[in-house]
Amino acid sequence: MSMTRLTPEVIQTLSTRYGLGDEFRDFRGVTRRFSDEARLAILNAMKVDIDHDVIHPSSAAPLRLPAAIVCTQDELFVDLFLGSVASHGVINITVLTEAQTTMETALPVSKLPMQDDGRYRIPLPEVPPGYHQLQIAFNKQQSHSVLAVTPRHCYQSPVIASGHRLWGFSLQLYTLRSSSNWGMGDFADLIAVIKAAAPHGCALIGLNPLHSLRPADPSQVSPYSPSSRDFINVLYIAVTDVPEYAHCNEAQWWVANHQKQLAALRDTTHVEYAQVAQCKFTVLSMLYGEFCKTHLAHNTARAAAFQQFIRQQGESLRLKALYDTLDQYFSKNPETNWGWRSWPAEFQNPGSEQVQAFAAEHARQVEYFMYLQWLAATQLQAAQQAAVDAGMQLGLYGDVAVGVDANGSEVWAHRDVYVSNISVGAPPDPLALKGQDWGIPPQHPLVLQKQAYAPFIRMLRANMRAAGALRLDHVMSLCRLWWVPHGMPATEGVYVHYPLEDLIKLVALESVRNQCVVIGEDLGVVPDVVRRILTQFQVYRYKVTFFEKLHDGQFIPPQDYPRNALAAVTTHDLPSLKAWWNNDDIRLSESLHHYPDQETQQRVQQERDADRHQLMHALVRAGLWHWQPHESLPAYSHALMRAIYLYAAMSNAALLVVQPEDLLYMIDPVNVPGTFAEYRNWSRKLTGDLCELLKQPDTREVLQALNKARRGANPNS
């Protein structure tokens, strides 16, 4: 219990020290202060030693480097306190580069400029971008740090830099239909779509997050609440494409004798995850047995490739596979089947003796889950290679969730960087007047810094490895996140700030190293500093047609879209185009009781009516439709869908994505934000086979017109 008298002044001082905001401007433009109760709850969750911090506030110790120094190539310096006798003597700087070369410099302190706060500005040797080891020695003291030197901005595709405007499809991979999958879209389906779409001018294939979920509980399906962002959902493995399948009689017999079951799973309107998982894991375990017998037992080249994958992925892969093994083991008991926090206490710590003994006893099953990750990574890489071979300029466009499931493997394995008793969410907005609580735990910004940003870097690398572009969901999280203390409503959240400059520079470094374009999903309330730094580091903005309006309600003309942007008519969190035009989403929200009152629903309907009229005006101005204001709005049609997509295609944005749901005239949404059991999110399939759709004359004509619009030509000529 704290002995310090927790006055508002004390709470304010500690909040400032630990990055908690004072106030924010809500969606109505009203400035609101954060409550002391919420801020104190967050300080406690951050494990702030309130008594010690108040009585002994942290002071800058001489020659104490942070765990990581992150700087661009044109700002190679560090500001450092050197102590009271600093004006005499020489400071010695040593950098061990990634290439294992040593660079040394000795500088008289008397010649170093001093900053206003008393720190000396110490220039560092010119080293290339990368992760280096820095040592500074002075007055018989030494300090060490990781020196991350980054490019000035993110990777820019040469094709885009030369003036081309590209387009592609935005898919939820599990929704794909085919005559061969096992009830959900898989990596074989993805390759088939790539080969079918590339000849139409498609340059990229956008995907939902492919992050690993929990194999032990296939009912947990949200790609935005994964078990781990560093690994892949193994249900996307195309089982019969695994090389072991061609030699495994047992697996072939099983598949041959379960064709009716697999056909039934293909015919469902929604993915039946539990049944799909049961089928896939049954056969995948057979294929692992074949792999052990044929390859591991004989040290074949394929076995060597697997062992190399294990070495490259290191301890993170071992812990992920160990978690999945434990989760599978404990899932047999209803009291311990919802993740690590339901397990016996001795198994909640990855380093415990009981966990190590379990790992040794179940080594084969741990290896099985590593094998599945290897298969998934190999097939995903093959999909990206297929895109490159097909001539796609970017290929796969991945997606990174803003956080992870509190009960999943990432939090279990790296619990020190996550804050318990806190959930990430969002403040109230017009569509969620009670705010949002996403149920995912935040990373501790100070612990992240103390670990030299290793978890963040690992996550970026894992998701850029097989992608030509990457979307950062809720990119504002690089700057701040809305923390909601458990037991408090989402309206009582507090913005907690993160080291934005360091994080965006690391994004740039990994982007350039992986030749991966970065798109920041910046929908919602975006601080000015985030807009500025996204522009500075050439992170692409996210522009949704529904939201791109001027203050008077008019839709922004295509030529006024920013160049460094990705344009989309709608997204997975919004209604399809047909549903938006026909108000199906408003009726769905009404049936789900999402509107707090009739007045709110009427206001939403009035705004929609106005938006539809404004969109018609925009189409007329763009030369895409003939319509007079005195006329009724047209009914939804193929022609209207075509015109709206061409409007987006004519935009100045370098990138455009098309949702196949709109080409199929679908109504049911992928996801209804704010729902859990009320609506089957993340499971609704496409109503048709996308590869077959691309053969249809109407579809081919739309894509031809879209290509013309992207080239700047008249799409109707």
Side-chain angles (χ1 to χ4, degrees):
M1 183 176 178
S2 174
M3 302 300 293
T4 301
R5 185 166 177 266
L6 293 172
T7 63
E9 291 74 21
V10 168
I11 294 174
Q12 176 62 43
T13 298
L14 294 174
S15 294
T16 300
R17 189 172 300 158
Y18 285 91
L20 280 64
D22 299 329
E23 60 189 25
F24 78 108
R25 187 180 295 273
D26 70 11
F27 70 95
R28 296 185 178 91
V30 178
T31 299
R32 300 189 181 278
R33 288 195 60 81
F34 300 120
S35 73
D36 286 347
E37 180 185 6
R39 294 201 289 181
L40 182 58
I42 289 173
L43 290 169
N44 285 326
M46 295 176 84
K47 298 182 179 178
V48 173
D49 186 338
I50 293 174
D51 292 322
H52 183 274
D53 250 19
V54 172
I55 300 171
H56 305 286
S58 58
S59 57
L63 209 70
R64 179 182 292 175
L65 289 170
I69 297 168
V70 185
C71 51
T72 57
Q73 291 172 282
D74 53 1
E75 54 179 22
L76 281 165
F77 60 82
V78 60
D79 292 333
L80 198 60
F81 288 103
L82 297 178
S84 57
V85 294
S87 59
H88 307 285
V90 173
I91 187 166
N92 294 287
I93 304 163
T94 304
V95 175
L96 177 63
T97 70
E98 278 186 321
Q100 299 302 299
T101 59
T102 300
M103 305 181 72
E104 297 180 326
T105 304
L107 298 171
V109 176
S110 59
K111 294 187 177 181
L112 296 176
M114 182 180 287
Q115 307 303 300
D116 292 340
D117 60 4
R119 292 184 297 175
Y120 287 87
R121 175 152 292 182
I122 302 168
L124 301 174
E126 290 189 10
V127 291
Y131 301 94
H132 316 292
Q133 300 300 316
L134 171 67
Q135 174 187 290
I136 294 183
F138 177 71
N139 197 24
K140 298 182 180 181
Q141 289 182 300
Q142 290 184 353
S143 189
H144 300 263
S145 179
V146 173
L147 174 62
V149 179
T150 76
R152 296 174 181 86
H153 55 74
C154 291
Y155 172 75
Q156 299 300 301
S157 164
V159 176
I160 297 175
S162 67
H164 288 80
R165 292 181 294 171
L166 308 178
W167 72 271
F169 285 108
S170 179
L171 312 175
Q172 301 287 310
L173 180 53
Y174 56 87
T175 68
L176 292 182
R177 290 184 179 273
S178 72
S179 60
S180 60
N181 71 36
W182 289 18
M184 64 180 286
D186 58 26
F187 290 132
D189 293 332
L190 176 57
I191 290 176
V193 167
I194 287 167
K195 292 179 178 179
H200 295 282
C202 176
L204 66 154
I205 299 289
L207 298 168
N208 56 284
L210 303 180
H211 307 320
S212 172
L213 302 180
R214 290 174 49 219
D217 186 3
S219 68
Q220 302 300 310
V221 301
S222 172
Y224 290 94
S225 184
S227 179
S228 171
R229 293 177 295 178
D230 298 342
F231 297 98
I232 302 171
N233 182 353
V234 297
L235 287 182
Y236 290 122
I237 295 172
V239 178
T240 57
D241 282 3
V242 175
E244 282 71 56
Y245 181 78
H247 307 284
C248 184
N249 293 332
E250 182 185 19
Q252 292 175 15
W253 182 92
W254 189 97
V255 173
N257 284 274
H258 289 79
Q259 284 299 307
K260 287 185 178 180
Q261 182 181 2
L262 298 178
L265 288 174
R266 282 193 287 272
D267 288 342
T268 57
T269 59
H270 291 70
V271 177
E272 301 299 337
Y273 285 99
Q275 296 177 50
V276 172
Q278 183 180 29
C279 292
K280 290 205 170 192
F281 291 137
T282 295
V283 179
L284 286 168
S285 64
M286 297 174 187
L287 300 185
Y288 169 66
E290 179 71 23
F291 178 74
C292 291
K293 180 179 66 176
T294 304
H295 296 285
L296 290 181
H298 300 285
N299 296 318
T300 65
R302 184 161 168 79
F306 174 53
Q307 297 297 343
Q308 183 182 16
F309 175 80
I310 292 175
R311 288 191 297 271
Q312 288 174 340
Q313 299 298 314
E315 181 68 359
S316 290
L317 174 62
R318 188 190 75 85
L319 288 173
K320 174 67 174 71
L322 177 54
Y323 172 91
D324 286 343
T325 305
L326 282 160
D327 201 22
Q328 183 183 63
Y329 177 83
F330 285 116
S331 68
K332 299 167 187 175
N333 184 338
E335 295 181 358
T336 58
N337 69 352
W338 48 274
W340 67 268
R341 293 191 298 177
S342 68
W343 301 346
E346 59 270 23
F347 290 95
Q348 295 185 10
N349 181 356
S352 73
E353 293 182 6
Q354 291 85 348
V355 169
Q356 300 314 309
F358 180 93
E361 183 180 351
H362 297 82
R364 185 177 173 89
Q365 190 68 5
V366 173
E367 186 180 65
Y368 163 69
F369 280 113
M370 291 194 286
Y371 170 74
L372 295 187
Q373 284 298 324
W374 178 52
L375 295 181
T378 302
Q379 290 193 355
L380 178 59
Q381 189 66 56
Q384 173 64 359
Q385 188 60 51
V388 173
D389 293 344
M392 287 190 176
Q393 290 90 338
L394 290 182
L396 299 184
Y397 159 40
D399 196 356
V400 173
V402 72
V404 293
D405 180 5
N407 297 309
S409 62
E410 190 171 320
V411 176
W412 177 76
H414 307 287
R415 200 174 326 153
D416 52 346
V417 79
Y418 286 94
V419 181
S420 58
N421 299 316
I422 299 289
S423 293
V424 173
D429 61 33
L431 298 180
L433 296 174
K434 296 180 181 179
Q436 297 179 58
D437 183 336
W438 300 332
I440 56 178
Q443 290 185 329
H444 195 310
L446 298 184
V447 174
L448 201 59
Q449 289 174 298
K450 289 177 181 177
Q451 294 187 7
Y453 303 112
F456 183 72
I457 295 166
R458 184 173 61 242
M459 179 271 291
L460 290 174
R461 287 176 178 168
N463 288 277
M464 290 181 175
R465 192 172 293 124
L470 188 68
R471 172 184 181 270
L472 301 181
D473 184 42
H474 194 70
V475 72
M476 292 78 78
S477 65
L478 299 180
C479 172
R480 66 184 188 184
L481 276 172
W482 185 260
W483 287 25
V484 182
H486 287 183
M488 292 187 178
T491 53
E492 287 299 304
V494 174
Y495 274 124
V496 176
H497 292 83
Y498 286 74
L500 172 62
E501 298 250 353
D502 282 2
L503 295 178
I504 197 70
K505 291 172 185 174
L506 292 171
V507 169
L509 176 55
E510 292 301 325
S511 165
V512 169
R513 288 195 153 186
N514 290 279
Q515 295 192 354
C516 184
V517 172
V518 180
I519 296 106
E521 187 270 295
D522 57 344
L523 304 179
V525 180
V526 185
D528 290 340
V529 65
V530 172
R531 290 192 178 92
R532 176 187 61 78
I533 209 159
L534 292 181
T535 300
Q536 177 185 341
F537 281 86
Q538 297 184 27
V539 174
Y540 284 56
R541 307 285 298 280
Y542 207 67
K543 297 297 179 182
V544 178
T545 302
F546 291 164
F547 300 149
E548 291 304 301
K549 296 181 291 185
L550 301 170
H551 292 299
D552 62 1
Q554 291 189 54
F555 281 85
I556 293 175
Q559 65 272 18
D560 289 348
Y561 276 58
R563 171 69 177 167
N564 271 30
L566 178 141
V569 172
T570 182
T571 78
H572 59 265
D573 280 333
L574 296 170
S576 69
L577 180 54
K578 182 177 182 179
W580 184 87
W581 188 263
N582 290 340
N583 299 324
D584 293 292
D585 60 312
I586 295 176
R587 287 189 287 272
L588 177 60
S589 292
E590 180 186 14
S591 70
L592 295 172
H593 307 291
H594 279 187
Y595 299 116
D597 49 53
Q598 190 67 28
E599 181 182 350
T600 301
Q601 181 178 341
Q602 289 176 351
R603 186 183 72 248
V604 171
Q605 183 64 68
Q606 290 167 358
E607 291 173 352
R608 176 66 54 80
D609 292 342
D611 283 347
R612 290 189 300 167
H613 279 84
Q614 288 289 2
L615 185 53
M616 288 307 303
H617 284 293
L619 295 179
V620 170
R621 287 193 295 270
L624 295 168
W625 201 268
H626 297 289
W627 174 80
Q628 296 293 329
H630 66 270
E631 297 176 346
S632 300
L633 292 174
Y636 191 81
S637 63
H638 173 84
L640 183 61
M641 178 274 293
R642 178 186 184 276
I644 294 172
Y645 263 98
L646 291 181
Y647 185 85
M650 290 168 62
S651 77
N652 190 45
L655 301 174
L656 167 76
V657 289
V658 177
Q659 287 201 155
E661 284 88 345
D662 293 330
L663 295 177
L664 289 164
Y665 318 126
M666 291 180 63
I667 292 174
D668 293 342
V670 168
N671 175 52
V672 179
T675 63
F676 177 66
E678 312 96 295
Y679 184 83
R680 290 190 64 179
N681 295 319
W682 315 115
S683 62
R684 187 269 293 136
K685 298 181 186 180
L686 295 178
T687 54
D689 183 328
L690 180 55
C691 292
E692 293 299 317
L693 179 68
L694 291 173
K695 299 176 183 178
Q696 301 301 314
D698 281 353
T699 304
R700 297 167 70 91
E701 189 281 327
V702 168
L703 299 184
Q704 288 171 4
L706 190 145
N707 276 308
K708 290 181 180 179
R710 292 269 79 195
R711 293 194 299 267
N714 183 347
N716 291 321
S717 63

